[in-house]
Amino acid sequence: MENWSVEQVCNWLKQRNLGELVPKFREEEVNGAALLALNDRMVQQLVKKIGHQAVLMDLIKKYQQQKSGLESLTHCCGTASQKIPEAISGKNLKSFFARYKTLQWTSSYTLPDFPYDVKCILAEKKNPDHSMRIRIIEFLQADMTKYLEGSLYPNSQQYNIVVNALLQAYPFLDEGGNGFLLWKRALKDRFKYVRRPIEDDEQVLRNKCKFGHRKGQTRKSSFAENKLDGVQVQEEEEPAYLKGSTMDLHIKWLNQEYMKTQRNWKEVDNRMNVTIELRRKMICNKAPLKDILRLFPFLRCPYQLFREFQLLTHMDIYKKTVKILEVYSENILSLSVVRNNPINIMLQENMKQHREEDVLKYMKMTAACLLLPDVFGDDSSLFAAVNEEVKAVTPVLEVKNPFNVNACEFALYIEREELAQLDDCSMALAALVAAFHVFNIPCPERIHRTLNFLESLVFEVRNPASLP
């Protein structure tokens, strides 16, 4: 903090909901060293509101105490012959080393490596939507748990460290000076959400007992007390309803609506939005695909599959895929590596029977789609089964009569089960790419180059993969 510039001090004030003080601090050129040198009289001159004065002095005091604690620890541990003072004993010794561990954690913490789609949003300096915020918070929570060696109970200082690191790396997430409190609240709620279903973890049980929670009991009164190991513990009143009950209603409605011929698609969209956090948690926890589709059958609809992909990545994959095939189909068909391919030969024979420009264009796009793995030297059986039985367990296309305008069929298979019927090659290719992302399925190495080419164009990376 001593080496901070005036702007860094201003950013620090914004993160602590003291944005009103920024103009005055800029005017008086208060940098890090000046901030730490402020006394009561100076603060009164700088800050008008008593509440802000108290908060600012408290923050400065806490930083100075933390600094002095670290310096004293370094002094105690720096010389091998020097002994720890006798005053630091028993509980004091325990708190002393606990504080040292926290300070050590502070100095070593770095943000996690976010997934590719999150990186794209952050690189564009766009405020993330609800689903993207959830993903960021999930990764921060998992990363904190790793740093805390599996503990699910960070202290307030550790929450502050992580949120500060996030806002310093991505200042646009601050949202007008209120971002710090919002992100911290979301992170704390995430830890509560993770702790809720855990009943057998020793630390969780210990903390639940400490704060009066009892599994399977309802509280008749918030003033009721229960005796535990000779200690009177005041119990907290539980909510009258379970949080999951609302989700159950949404899931039942979605299943009932899926069975109807005429569907209320607007309401389907709304309820899929509301349940996305539960869905993403199931997918991230490797829940069986059958269970996910049983609860959320609308993921079998191509429209909802593309919409889920767009909620996660902010990309319209269907439009992107149509454009990719339109731009690259001629180039793919001109490559010598596909000249003698059975699909290309089938294309040439069928093109002789048609003269309509639209039909010929459709045939070329279909052939280009099916020939992509051969262009990159990948295993085509992991991409599409043309007039054959599907054998791969990863997402793969089943294609029948690809160049017969009246009888061609496209379907997406996962784990050798049909997921969705598709209208054409563009929709089929989009569904294949989307399925890997939506269901969090690792890409097989033998099809990696093909999918990498498609994803680099869909996500509009600076240096997209090119055709060989």
Side-chain angles (χ1 to χ4, degrees), residues 101 105 108-112 142-150:
K101 189 173 182 180
W105 190 88
S108 64
Y109 182 77
T110 55
L111 286 173
D143 195 57
M144 285 181 73
T145 304
K146 179 190 74 174
Y147 266 87
L148 295 169
E149 299 176 354

Side-chain angles (χ1 to χ4, degrees), residues 208 211-214 217-226 233-242:
K208 283 187 174 182
F211 295 107
H213 292 272
R214 298 290 180 276
Q217 292 184 5
T218 58
R219 273 68 170 177
K220 294 182 180 179
S221 169
S222 59
F223 298 100
E225 291 186 351
N226 195 351
V233 182
Q234 185 173 349
E235 297 186 4
E236 297 176 358
E237 188 172 355
E238 286 184 345
Y241 59 90
L242 294 174

Side-chain angles (χ1 to χ4, degrees), residues 306 317-318 321-322 325 362 365 369 424-431:
F306 298 157
I317 191 167
Y318 180 66
T321 309
V322 171
L325 289 178
Y362 170 80
M365 288 174 63
C369 171
D424 53 37
C425 62
S426 300
M427 184 178 285
L429 187 57

Side-chain angles (χ1 to χ4, degrees), residues 104-147:
Q104 198 175 33
W105 190 88
T106 305
S107 62
S108 64
Y109 182 77
T110 55
L111 286 173
D113 187 22
F114 290 115
Y116 182 78
D117 55 319
V118 176
K119 286 181 182 177
C120 290
I121 295 299
L122 294 175
E124 294 173 2
K125 297 185 178 181
K126 291 181 178 178
N127 280 323
D129 63 6
H130 178 69
S131 63
M132 192 60 67
R133 282 172 174 271
I134 291 171
R135 297 201 72 204
I136 293 172
I137 288 295
E138 284 178 349
F139 275 85
L140 289 178
Q141 180 268 316
D143 195 57
M144 285 181 73
T145 304
K146 179 190 74 174
Y147 266 87

